[in-house]
Amino acid sequence: MEQFEFDAKRRALLAAGVRMMDPAAVYVEDTVQVGAGTLLLPGTILRGETVIGRDCQIGPNAMLVDCVVGDGSCVNASQGQDSRIGARCEIGPYAHLRAHSVVGDDSKIGAFVQLKNCNLGPGTKMAHLTYVGDTDAGPGCNFGCGSVTCNYDGKVKARTTIGANVFIGCHTRFIPPVSVGDGAYIAAGTTLTQDVPPDSFVIGRSRQTVKLDWKDKRG
């Protein structure tokens, strides 16, 4: 797109009530829609069929391609492709939403989180350092730091299913296909290889071993 086309689009958005801290540092393709009251911060790039709702904050340094963002959401220093973000969500910084990711309303997808081909229910909390791919999760789930869905075995990409209000401890590994029932609690450091019934507690890690005076015996 030529520079004058960017200028025309920015002027049209400003006239429609979109705010920009530095219009010259914002790039919006002509096919993009942005709601009134939304603030576009420097380094924002909006491309394709992207639709941004009202009263959002996009940027700084965010790129969205063919994405839909609900009213009142914030996308900070993150990227998204062909994904849908609900209303009142907080995305980033440094989150990556790959194709076919859906984030429900009132969710938090934080620093160094990557999503791919997943459906996350409203109220999802995924604050940092997590990979979730090929997954369906119900509302109100809390993903601890370092949680990973190990969705690819080298030949097949399998799916993980997680119910509503599931608490997922730090460094949980899901080995799909696997299903977790509503209200379950997963202890930190667990590797899940079998289905988990609703309202249950699961722990799957080796027992801690402490060898006293080991340093002195080692010499």
Coordinates of all heavy atoms in Angstrom, one line a residue, residues 110-184:
G110 N -0.9 -13.8 28.6 CA 0.2 -12.9 29.0 C 1.5 -13.1 28.2 O 1.5 -13.6 27.1
A111 N 2.5 -12.8 28.9 CA 3.9 -12.7 28.3 C 4.4 -14.1 27.8 O 4.3 -15.1 28.6 CB 4.9 -12.1 29.3
F112 N 4.9 -14.2 26.6 CA 5.5 -15.4 26.1 C 4.5 -16.6 26.1 O 4.9 -17.7 26.4 CB 6.8 -15.7 26.8 CG 7.7 -14.5 26.7 CD1 8.0 -13.8 27.9 CD2 8.4 -14.2 25.6 CE1 8.9 -12.7 27.8 CE2 9.3 -13.1 25.5 CZ 9.5 -12.4 26.7
V113 N 3.3 -16.3 25.7 CA 2.3 -17.4 25.5 C 2.0 -17.5 24.0 O 1.9 -16.5 23.3 CB 1.0 -17.0 26.2 CG1 -0.1 -18.0 25.8 CG2 1.1 -17.0 27.7
Q114 N 2.0 -18.8 23.5 CA 1.6 -19.0 22.1 C 0.4 -19.9 22.1 O 0.3 -20.9 22.8 CB 2.8 -19.7 21.4 CG 2.5 -19.8 19.9 CD 3.6 -20.5 19.1 OE1 3.6 -21.7 18.9 NE2 4.6 -19.7 18.7
L115 N -0.5 -19.5 21.3 CA -1.8 -20.3 21.0 C -1.8 -20.7 19.6 O -1.4 -20.0 18.7 CB -3.0 -19.5 21.4 CG -3.1 -18.8 22.7 CD1 -4.4 -18.0 22.8 CD2 -3.0 -19.8 23.8
K116 N -2.4 -21.9 19.3 CA -2.5 -22.4 17.9 C -3.7 -23.3 17.8 O -3.8 -24.3 18.5 CB -1.3 -23.1 17.5 CG -1.2 -23.4 16.0 CD -1.8 -24.7 15.6 CE -1.1 -25.9 16.0 NZ -1.6 -27.2 15.5
N117 N -4.7 -22.9 17.0 CA -5.8 -23.8 16.7 C -6.5 -24.2 17.9 O -6.7 -25.4 18.2 CB -5.4 -25.0 15.8 CG -6.5 -25.8 15.3 OD1 -7.6 -25.2 15.1 ND2 -6.3 -27.0 15.0
C118 N -6.9 -23.3 18.8 CA -7.5 -23.6 20.1 C -8.7 -22.8 20.3 O -8.9 -21.7 19.8 CB -6.5 -23.5 21.2 SG -5.8 -21.9 21.4
N119 N -9.6 -23.2 21.2 CA -10.8 -22.5 21.7 C -10.7 -22.4 23.2 O -10.8 -23.4 23.9 CB -12.0 -23.3 21.2 CG -12.2 -23.4 19.7 OD1 -12.4 -22.4 19.0 ND2 -11.9 -24.6 19.2
L120 N -10.6 -21.2 23.7 CA -10.5 -20.9 25.1 C -11.8 -20.2 25.6 O -12.1 -19.2 25.0 CB -9.3 -20.1 25.4 CG -7.9 -20.6 24.9 CD1 -6.8 -19.7 25.3 CD2 -7.7 -22.0 25.4
G121 N -12.4 -20.8 26.6 CA -13.6 -20.2 27.1 C -13.4 -18.9 27.8 O -12.3 -18.5 28.1
P122 N -14.5 -18.2 28.1 CA -14.4 -16.9 28.8 C -13.7 -17.1 30.2 O -13.8 -18.1 30.8 CB -15.9 -16.5 29.1 CG -16.6 -17.3 28.0 CD -15.9 -18.5 27.8
G123 N -13.0 -16.0 30.6 CA -12.3 -16.0 31.9 C -11.1 -16.8 31.9 O -10.6 -17.2 33.0
T124 N -10.5 -17.2 30.8 CA -9.2 -17.9 30.8 C -8.1 -17.1 31.3 O -8.0 -15.9 31.0 CB -8.9 -18.4 29.4 OG1 -9.9 -19.3 28.9 CG2 -7.6 -19.1 29.3
K125 N -7.3 -17.7 32.2 CA -6.1 -17.0 32.7 C -4.8 -17.8 32.3 O -4.7 -19.0 32.7 CB -6.1 -16.9 34.2 CG -7.3 -15.9 34.7 CD -7.3 -15.8 36.2 CE -8.4 -14.9 36.7 NZ -8.5 -14.8 38.2
M126 N -4.0 -17.2 31.6 CA -2.8 -17.8 31.0 C -1.7 -16.8 31.0 O -1.4 -16.1 30.0 CB -3.0 -18.4 29.6 CG -2.1 -19.4 29.1 SD -2.6 -19.9 27.4 CE -4.1 -20.7 27.7
A127 N -1.1 -16.5 32.2 CA -0.3 -15.3 32.4 C 1.0 -15.3 31.7 O 1.5 -14.2 31.3 CB -0.1 -15.1 33.9
H128 N 1.7 -16.5 31.6 CA 3.0 -16.4 31.0 C 3.6 -17.8 30.7 O 3.2 -18.8 31.2 CB 4.0 -15.7 32.0 CG 3.8 -16.0 33.4 ND1 4.1 -15.1 34.4 CD2 3.4 -17.1 34.0 CE1 3.8 -15.6 35.6 NE2 3.4 -16.9 35.4
L129 N 4.5 -17.8 29.7 CA 5.4 -18.9 29.4 C 4.6 -20.2 29.2 O 4.9 -21.2 29.8 CB 6.4 -19.1 30.5 CG 7.4 -17.9 30.6 CD1 8.1 -18.0 31.9 CD2 8.3 -17.8 29.5
T130 N 3.6 -20.2 28.2 CA 2.8 -21.3 28.0 C 2.5 -21.6 26.5 O 2.4 -20.6 25.8 CB 1.4 -21.1 28.8 OG1 1.7 -21.0 30.2 CG2 0.4 -22.2 28.5
Y131 N 2.4 -22.8 26.1 CA 2.0 -23.2 24.8 C 0.8 -24.0 24.8 O 0.8 -25.1 25.4 CB 3.1 -23.9 24.0 CG 2.6 -24.5 22.7 CD1 2.4 -23.6 21.6 CD2 2.4 -25.8 22.5 CE1 1.9 -24.1 20.4 CE2 1.9 -26.3 21.3 CZ 1.6 -25.4 20.3 OH 1.1 -25.9 19.1
V132 N -0.2 -23.6 24.1 CA -1.5 -24.3 24.0 C -1.9 -24.4 22.6 O -2.1 -23.4 21.9 CB -2.6 -23.7 24.8 CG1 -3.9 -24.4 24.6 CG2 -2.3 -23.6 26.3
G133 N -1.8 -25.7 22.0 CA -2.2 -25.9 20.6 C -3.2 -27.0 20.5 O -3.2 -28.0 21.3
D134 N -4.1 -26.9 19.5 CA -5.0 -28.0 19.2 C -5.8 -28.4 20.5 O -5.9 -29.5 20.9 CB -4.3 -29.2 18.6 CG -3.6 -28.8 17.3 OD1 -4.3 -28.4 16.4 OD2 -2.4 -29.0 17.2
T135 N -6.4 -27.4 21.1 CA -7.0 -27.5 22.4 C -8.4 -26.9 22.5 O -8.5 -25.8 22.0 CB -6.1 -27.0 23.5 OG1 -4.9 -27.7 23.6 CG2 -6.7 -27.0 24.9
D136 N -9.3 -27.5 23.2 CA -10.6 -26.9 23.6 C -10.7 -26.8 25.1 O -10.6 -27.9 25.8 CB -11.7 -27.7 23.0 CG -11.7 -27.9 21.5 OD1 -11.8 -26.9 20.8 OD2 -11.6 -29.0 21.0
A137 N -10.8 -25.6 25.6 CA -10.9 -25.4 27.1 C -12.1 -24.7 27.4 O -12.5 -23.7 26.8 CB -9.6 -24.7 27.6
G138 N -12.8 -25.1 28.5 CA -14.0 -24.4 29.0 C -13.7 -23.1 29.7 O -12.6 -22.7 29.8
P139 N -14.8 -22.5 30.2 CA -14.6 -21.2 30.9 C -13.9 -21.3 32.2 O -13.9 -22.4 32.9 CB -16.0 -20.7 31.1 CG -16.8 -21.9 31.1 CD -16.2 -22.9 30.1
G140 N -13.2 -20.2 32.6 CA -12.7 -20.2 34.0 C -11.5 -21.0 34.3 O -11.2 -21.3 35.4
C141 N -10.7 -21.4 33.3 CA -9.5 -22.2 33.5 C -8.3 -21.3 33.8 O -8.2 -20.2 33.2 CB -9.2 -23.1 32.3 SG -10.4 -24.4 32.0
N142 N -7.5 -21.8 34.6 CA -6.2 -21.1 35.0 C -5.0 -22.0 34.6 O -4.9 -23.1 35.2 CB -6.2 -20.8 36.5 CG -5.1 -19.9 36.9 OD1 -4.0 -20.1 36.5 ND2 -5.3 -19.0 37.9
F143 N -4.2 -21.5 33.7 CA -3.1 -22.3 33.2 C -1.8 -21.7 33.9 O -1.5 -20.5 33.8 CB -2.9 -22.1 31.7 CG -3.9 -22.8 30.9 CD1 -5.2 -22.4 30.8 CD2 -3.5 -24.0 30.2 CE1 -6.1 -23.0 30.0 CE2 -4.5 -24.7 29.4 CZ -5.8 -24.2 29.3
G144 N -1.1 -22.6 34.7 CA 0.1 -22.1 35.4 C 1.2 -21.9 34.4 O 1.2 -22.5 33.3
C145 N 2.3 -21.2 34.9 CA 3.5 -21.0 34.1 C 4.1 -22.3 33.6 O 4.2 -23.2 34.3 CB 4.4 -20.2 34.9 SG 6.1 -20.0 34.2
G146 N 4.5 -22.3 32.3 CA 5.2 -23.4 31.7 C 4.3 -24.6 31.3 O 4.8 -25.6 31.0
S147 N 3.0 -24.4 31.3 CA 2.1 -25.5 30.8 C 2.2 -25.7 29.3 O 2.3 -24.7 28.6 CB 0.7 -25.2 31.2 OG 0.5 -25.1 32.6
V148 N 2.2 -26.9 28.9 CA 2.4 -27.2 27.5 C 1.5 -28.3 27.0 O 1.4 -29.3 27.7 CB 3.9 -27.6 27.2 CG1 4.0 -28.1 25.7 CG2 4.8 -26.5 27.5
T149 N 0.8 -28.2 25.9 CA 0.1 -29.3 25.2 C 1.1 -29.9 24.2 O 1.5 -29.2 23.2 CB -1.2 -28.8 24.6 OG1 -0.9 -27.7 23.6 CG2 -2.2 -28.3 25.6
C150 N 1.5 -31.1 24.4 CA 2.4 -31.8 23.5 C 1.7 -32.4 22.4 O 1.5 -33.6 22.3 CB 3.2 -32.8 24.3 SG 4.0 -32.1 25.8
N151 N 1.2 -31.6 21.5 CA 0.1 -32.0 20.6 C 0.7 -32.7 19.3 O -0.1 -33.2 18.5 CB -0.7 -30.8 20.1 CG 0.2 -29.7 19.5 OD1 1.2 -29.3 20.1 ND2 -0.2 -29.1 18.4
Y152 N 2.0 -32.8 19.1 CA 2.5 -33.4 17.9 C 3.5 -34.5 18.3 O 4.5 -34.2 19.0 CB 3.2 -32.3 17.1 CG 3.7 -32.7 15.7 CD1 2.8 -33.5 14.8 CD2 5.0 -32.4 15.3 CE1 3.3 -33.9 13.6 CE2 5.4 -32.8 14.1 CZ 4.6 -33.5 13.2 OH 5.0 -33.9 12.0
D153 N 3.3 -35.7 17.8 CA 4.2 -36.8 18.1 C 5.2 -37.1 16.9 O 5.8 -38.1 16.9 CB 3.4 -38.0 18.5 CG 2.6 -38.6 17.3 OD1 2.6 -38.0 16.2 OD2 1.8 -39.6 17.5
G154 N 5.2 -36.2 16.0 CA 6.1 -36.4 14.8 C 5.3 -36.9 13.6 O 5.8 -36.8 12.5
K155 N 4.1 -37.4 13.8 CA 3.3 -37.9 12.7 C 1.8 -37.3 12.8 O 1.3 -36.9 11.8 CB 3.2 -39.4 12.7 CG 4.5 -40.1 12.4 CD 4.4 -41.6 12.4 CE 5.7 -42.3 12.0 NZ 5.5 -43.8 12.0
V156 N 1.3 -37.3 14.0 CA -0.1 -36.9 14.2 C -0.2 -35.7 15.2 O 0.5 -35.7 16.2 CB -1.0 -38.1 14.7 CG1 -2.4 -37.7 14.9 CG2 -0.9 -39.2 13.7
K157 N -1.1 -34.8 14.9 CA -1.4 -33.7 15.8 C -2.7 -34.1 16.5 O -3.8 -34.2 15.9 CB -1.5 -32.4 15.1 CG -0.2 -31.9 14.5 CD -0.3 -30.5 14.0 CE 1.1 -30.1 13.5 NZ 1.1 -28.7 13.0
A158 N -2.6 -34.3 17.8 CA -3.8 -34.8 18.6 C -4.3 -33.6 19.4 O -3.6 -32.6 19.7 CB -3.4 -35.9 19.5
R159 N -5.6 -33.8 19.9 CA -6.3 -32.7 20.5 C -6.4 -32.9 22.0 O -6.7 -34.1 22.5 CB -7.7 -32.5 19.9 CG -8.2 -31.1 20.1 CD -9.2 -30.7 19.0 NE -9.5 -29.3 19.1 CZ -8.9 -28.3 18.6 NH1 -7.9 -28.5 17.8 NH2 -9.3 -27.1 18.8
T160 N -6.3 -31.8 22.8 CA -6.6 -31.8 24.2 C -7.9 -31.2 24.5 O -8.2 -30.1 23.9 CB -5.4 -31.1 25.0 OG1 -4.2 -31.7 24.7 CG2 -5.7 -31.0 26.4
T161 N -8.7 -31.8 25.4 CA -10.0 -31.2 25.8 C -10.0 -31.0 27.3 O -9.7 -31.9 28.1 CB -11.1 -32.2 25.5 OG1 -11.1 -32.5 24.1 CG2 -12.5 -31.6 25.9
I162 N -10.3 -29.8 27.7 CA -10.2 -29.3 29.1 C -11.6 -28.8 29.5 O -12.1 -27.9 28.8 CB -9.1 -28.3 29.4 CG1 -7.7 -28.9 29.0 CG2 -9.1 -27.8 30.8 CD1 -6.6 -27.9 29.0
G163 N -12.2 -29.2 30.6 CA -13.5 -28.7 31.0 C -13.5 -27.3 31.6 O -12.5 -26.6 31.5
A164 N -14.5 -27.0 32.3 CA -14.7 -25.7 32.9 C -14.0 -25.6 34.3 O -13.9 -26.6 35.0 CB -16.2 -25.3 33.0
N165 N -13.5 -24.5 34.6 CA -12.9 -24.2 35.9 C -11.9 -25.2 36.4 O -11.8 -25.6 37.5 CB -14.1 -24.1 37.0 CG -15.1 -23.1 36.6 OD1 -14.8 -22.0 36.3 ND2 -16.4 -23.5 36.6
V166 N -11.0 -25.5 35.5 CA -9.9 -26.4 35.7 C -8.7 -25.6 36.2 O -8.3 -24.6 35.5 CB -9.6 -27.3 34.5 CG1 -8.3 -28.1 34.8 CG2 -10.8 -28.2 34.2
F167 N -8.0 -26.0 37.2 CA -6.8 -25.4 37.7 C -5.6 -26.2 37.2 O -5.5 -27.4 37.6 CB -6.8 -25.3 39.2 CG -5.5 -24.6 39.7 CD1 -5.5 -23.2 39.9 CD2 -4.4 -25.3 40.1 CE1 -4.3 -22.6 40.3 CE2 -3.3 -24.7 40.5 CZ -3.2 -23.3 40.7
I168 N -4.7 -25.6 36.5 CA -3.6 -26.3 35.9 C -2.3 -25.8 36.5 O -1.9 -24.6 36.3 CB -3.6 -26.1 34.3 CG1 -4.9 -26.7 33.8 CG2 -2.4 -26.8 33.7 CD1 -5.3 -26.2 32.4
G169 N -1.6 -26.6 37.3 CA -0.4 -26.2 38.0 C 0.7 -25.9 37.0 O 0.7 -26.4 35.8
C170 N 1.7 -25.2 37.5 CA 2.9 -24.9 36.7 C 3.6 -26.1 36.1 O 3.6 -27.2 36.8 CB 3.9 -24.1 37.5 SG 3.3 -22.5 38.1
H171 N 4.1 -26.0 34.9 CA 4.8 -27.1 34.3 C 4.0 -28.4 34.1 O 4.6 -29.5 34.3 CB 6.2 -27.3 35.0 CG 7.1 -26.2 34.9 ND1 7.8 -25.9 33.7 CD2 7.4 -25.2 35.8 CE1 8.5 -24.8 33.9 NE2 8.3 -24.3 35.1
T172 N 2.8 -28.2 33.8 CA 2.0 -29.4 33.4 C 2.1 -29.7 32.0 O 2.1 -28.8 31.1 CB 0.5 -29.1 33.7 OG1 0.3 -29.0 35.1 CG2 -0.4 -30.2 33.2
R173 N 2.3 -31.0 31.6 CA 2.4 -31.4 30.2 C 1.2 -32.3 29.9 O 0.9 -33.2 30.6 CB 3.7 -32.2 30.0 CG 4.9 -31.4 29.8 CD 5.6 -31.0 31.0 NE 6.0 -32.1 31.8 CZ 6.4 -32.0 33.1 NH1 6.6 -30.9 33.6 NH2 6.7 -33.1 33.8
F174 N 0.5 -31.9 28.9 CA -0.6 -32.7 28.4 C -0.1 -33.5 27.2 O 0.4 -33.0 26.2 CB -1.8 -31.8 27.9 CG -2.4 -31.0 29.0 CD1 -1.8 -29.7 29.3 CD2 -3.5 -31.4 29.6 CE1 -2.4 -28.9 30.3 CE2 -4.1 -30.6 30.6 CZ -3.5 -29.4 30.9
I175 N -0.3 -34.9 27.3 CA 0.1 -35.8 26.2 C -1.2 -36.2 25.5 O -1.8 -37.2 25.9 CB 0.9 -37.0 26.7 CG1 2.0 -36.5 27.6 CG2 1.5 -37.7 25.5 CD1 3.1 -35.6 27.0
P176 N -1.7 -35.5 24.5 CA -3.0 -35.9 23.9 C -2.9 -37.1 23.0 O -1.8 -37.5 22.6 CB -3.4 -34.6 23.2 CG -2.0 -34.0 22.8 CD -1.1 -34.4 23.9
P177 N -4.1 -37.7 22.7 CA -5.4 -37.2 23.1 C -5.7 -37.5 24.5 O -5.5 -38.6 25.0 CB -6.4 -38.0 22.2 CG -5.6 -39.2 21.8 CD -4.2 -38.9 21.8
V178 N -6.1 -36.4 25.2 CA -6.4 -36.5 26.7 C -7.5 -35.5 27.0 O -7.6 -34.5 26.4 CB -5.1 -36.3 27.5 CG1 -4.7 -34.8 27.4 CG2 -5.3 -36.7 28.9
S179 N -8.3 -35.9 28.0 CA -9.4 -35.1 28.4 C -9.4 -34.8 29.9 O -9.1 -35.8 30.7 CB -10.8 -35.8 28.0 OG -11.9 -35.0 28.4
V180 N -9.7 -33.6 30.3 CA -9.8 -33.3 31.7 C -11.2 -32.8 32.1 O -11.7 -31.9 31.4 CB -8.8 -32.2 32.1 CG1 -8.8 -31.8 33.5 CG2 -7.3 -32.6 31.7
G181 N -11.8 -33.3 33.1 CA -13.2 -33.0 33.4 C -13.3 -31.7 34.2 O -12.3 -31.1 34.7
D182 N -14.5 -31.2 34.2 CA -14.8 -29.9 34.9 C -14.3 -29.9 36.4 O -14.4 -30.9 37.1 CB -16.3 -29.6 34.9 CG -16.9 -29.4 33.5 OD1 -16.1 -29.3 32.6 OD2 -18.1 -29.4 33.4
G183 N -13.7 -28.8 36.8 CA -13.4 -28.6 38.2 C -12.2 -29.4 38.7 O -11.9 -29.4 39.9
A184 N -11.5 -30.0 37.8 CA -10.3 -30.8 38.2 C -9.1 -29.9 38.6 O -9.0 -28.7 38.1 CB -9.9 -31.7 37.1

